[in-house]
Amino acid sequence: MHSIRDREIYFCDGELDEFIEAAKSLGFDYDYRKTKDGFDFMAWNPDDEEKVARIKL
Protein backbone atom coordinates (compact mmCIF):
# COMPACT_ATOMS: atom_id res chain seq x y z
CA MET A 1 0.00 0.00 0.00
CA HIS A 2 2.69 2.46 -1.07
CA SER A 3 0.17 5.13 -1.99
CA ILE A 4 -0.65 5.60 1.70
CA ARG A 5 2.81 7.04 2.09
CA ASP A 6 3.07 8.90 -1.19
CA ARG A 7 -0.51 10.23 -1.58
CA GLU A 8 -0.53 8.95 -5.15
CA ILE A 9 -3.04 6.93 -7.10
CA TYR A 10 -1.70 3.59 -8.25
CA PHE A 11 -2.94 1.63 -11.24
CA CYS A 12 -2.98 -2.16 -10.79
CA ASP A 13 -4.00 -5.26 -12.68
CA GLY A 14 -5.04 -7.14 -9.54
CA GLU A 15 -8.52 -8.37 -8.73
CA LEU A 16 -10.84 -6.42 -6.44
CA ASP A 17 -11.22 -9.45 -4.16
CA GLU A 18 -7.45 -9.52 -3.58
CA PHE A 19 -7.41 -5.91 -2.40
CA ILE A 20 -10.44 -6.41 -0.17
CA GLU A 21 -8.78 -9.44 1.43
CA ALA A 22 -5.51 -7.50 1.91
CA ALA A 23 -7.34 -4.58 3.53
CA LYS A 24 -9.21 -6.93 5.86
CA SER A 25 -6.04 -8.79 6.85
CA LEU A 26 -4.33 -5.47 7.68
CA GLY A 27 -7.31 -4.30 9.72
CA PHE A 28 -7.94 -1.43 7.29
CA ASP A 29 -11.30 0.03 6.38
CA TYR A 30 -11.96 0.16 2.66
CA ASP A 31 -14.39 1.35 0.03
CA TYR A 32 -14.68 0.92 -3.71
CA ARG A 33 -16.87 1.90 -6.62
CA LYS A 34 -17.43 0.52 -10.07
CA THR A 35 -16.25 2.74 -12.92
CA LYS A 36 -16.51 2.31 -16.67
CA ASP A 37 -12.86 1.18 -16.71
CA GLY A 38 -12.90 -1.10 -13.66
CA PHE A 39 -12.90 -0.10 -9.97
CA ASP A 40 -11.64 2.72 -7.79
CA PHE A 41 -10.48 1.20 -4.49
CA MET A 42 -9.50 3.01 -1.30
CA ALA A 43 -8.14 1.58 1.96
CA TRP A 44 -7.13 3.34 5.16
CA ASN A 45 -6.08 2.60 8.71
CA PRO A 46 -9.03 3.51 10.96
CA ASP A 47 -6.55 4.90 13.51
CA ASP A 48 -5.15 7.38 10.97
CA GLU A 49 -7.77 8.24 8.35
CA GLU A 50 -5.55 10.97 6.89
CA LYS A 51 -3.46 8.35 5.09
CA VAL A 52 -5.40 6.67 2.30
CA ALA A 53 -4.32 4.16 -0.34
CA ARG A 54 -6.00 4.94 -3.69
CA ILE A 55 -5.85 2.24 -6.33
CA LYS A 56 -7.45 1.99 -9.77
CA LEU A 57 -8.21 -1.54 -10.93
Side-chain angles (χ1 to χ4, degrees):
M1 301 258 177
H2 294 290
S3 65
I4 286 179
R5 177 181 60 219
D6 301 332
R7 295 182 179 253
E8 295 178 7
I9 298 174
Y10 282 84
F11 296 85
C12 297
D13 293 331
E15 298 291 323
L16 178 62
D17 294 341
E18 295 172 318
F19 286 94
I20 290 172
E21 188 64 32
K24 286 180 179 180
S25 70
L26 291 168
F28 285 10
D29 290 338
Y30 64 91
D31 194 14
Y32 62 91
R33 66 182 172 126
K34 177 85 171 121
T35 65
K36 66 179 183 175
D37 299 329
F39 290 94
D40 288 344
F41 179 84
M42 295 173 54
W44 59 92
N45 184 330
D47 296 330
D48 188 0
E49 295 181 11
E50 295 286 321
K51 295 180 180 176
V52 177
R54 293 176 181 90
I55 303 166
K56 292 197 175 280
L57 305 169

